[in-house]
Amino acid sequence: MALSNVREDNYRSYLREDTEKNTKWRYGAPPNYDVVNKLYEEGRTKVWPQGSLEEQVQSLVKNWEMEMFHKVDLQDFRSIDPKKYTFSLNGRKPMTLEEMMKLGGGYIPMLQTSIPEKMRPYNPYEETADSSHKAFTTTFPRGFALEILHVYSGPPVIVYKFRHWGYMEGPFKRHAPTGEKIQFYGMAIFTVT
């Protein structure tokens, strides 16, 4: 990959030419976040001071998200330690990064569910990394923005509240686009060293 393919990003400090020149990207090239960054800037409710704990947590989460969705080689991850990282959602059994990648990475591990199969508008067990990426980028052509709303505790255990939002301007599976804002709130914990 040529160095000129990596674009610097205002919110993802790990997306830089000097550090990503040998990265293996899921879709052959580094992601471009210009469109979702615009959505984020227009819709965010918080502007954190540069260097504040909140801004640092937001940067960590955005870098983590970029790596989870776009990097294919575990050794290219920098926001987490691939050997120590585990992910658990809603009290489920923790998964290693390798287990997450075997599921397909991206949205699939985050949308595991016990909802009866016939009631699922999205079934992560039937998806691949490519099919889930296509479903969500088609549904939300301007992206699905993320902001940190509150940081409850700082390192080494970071507990924070976040908001994710986007506009359903494309179809989702068998559902027609509505143009509605889709958003959800959540809480997460990162333990850092």
Side-chain angles (χ1 to χ4, degrees), residues 12-128:
R12 291 158 194 87
S13 58
Y14 293 172
L15 195 53
R16 296 189 354 229
E17 284 186 20
D18 61 335
T19 59
E20 299 294 339
K21 63 184 173 187
N22 296 315
T23 297
K24 295 174 190 80
W25 298 104
R26 183 175 305 280
Y27 300 104
N32 181 318
Y33 284 97
D34 291 349
V35 174
V36 76
N37 284 349
K38 184 174 189 278
L39 177 67
Y40 163 73
E41 290 167 355
E42 292 171 351
R44 65 185 168 182
T45 61
K46 306 284 185 184
V47 178
W48 300 114
Q50 189 168 358
S52 67
L53 178 60
E54 293 84 359
E55 188 264 342
Q56 290 177 47
V57 169
Q58 189 159 267
S59 176
L60 171 66
V61 174
K62 287 177 183 280
N63 280 299
W64 171 84
E65 177 271 340
M66 178 268 297
E67 292 182 324
M68 288 294 163
F69 284 79
H70 296 283
K71 291 183 176 181
V72 293
D73 187 336
L74 302 182
Q75 301 314 306
D76 289 336
F77 283 68
R78 297 186 309 127
S79 65
I80 58 163
D81 181 338
K83 293 179 181 126
K84 294 181 181 178
Y85 178 82
T86 60
F87 173 85
S88 177
L89 179 71
N90 296 332
R92 291 182 181 268
K93 178 182 171 272
M95 290 185 268
T96 66
L97 182 57
E98 192 171 318
E99 290 169 324
M100 288 180 71
M101 299 308 261
K102 283 180 184 173
L103 283 175
Y107 299 103
I108 297 170
M110 296 177 204
L111 294 172
Q112 300 296 298
T113 182
S114 57
I115 294 172
E117 198 167 324
K118 64 183 179 188
M119 299 178 74
R120 298 176 191 165
Y122 174 87
N123 190 346
Y125 307 102
E126 296 175 352
E127 301 291 339
T128 66

Side-chain angles (χ1 to χ4, degrees), residues 100-184:
M100 288 180 71
M101 299 308 261
K102 283 180 184 173
L103 283 175
Y107 299 103
I108 297 170
M110 296 177 204
L111 294 172
Q112 300 296 298
T113 182
S114 57
I115 294 172
E117 198 167 324
K118 64 183 179 188
M119 299 178 74
R120 298 176 191 165
Y122 174 87
N123 190 346
Y125 307 102
E126 296 175 352
E127 301 291 339
T128 66
D130 291 337
S131 68
S132 67
H133 184 74
K134 182 177 181 184
F136 284 93
T137 56
T138 299
T139 304
F140 302 107
R142 290 191 283 159
F144 208 55
L146 176 130
E147 76 171 324
I148 301 303
L149 297 173
H150 191 82
V151 177
Y152 297 98
S153 66
V157 178
I158 302 169
V159 179
Y160 62 93
K161 181 179 181 180
F162 65 90
R163 176 175 78 108
H164 246 316
W165 77 98
Y167 292 87
M168 188 180 174
E169 296 164 329
F172 182 74
K173 301 290 182 174
R174 296 170 300 279
H175 304 278
T178 64
E180 290 179 80
K181 182 186 344 181
I182 307 297
Q183 65 181 341
F184 72 88

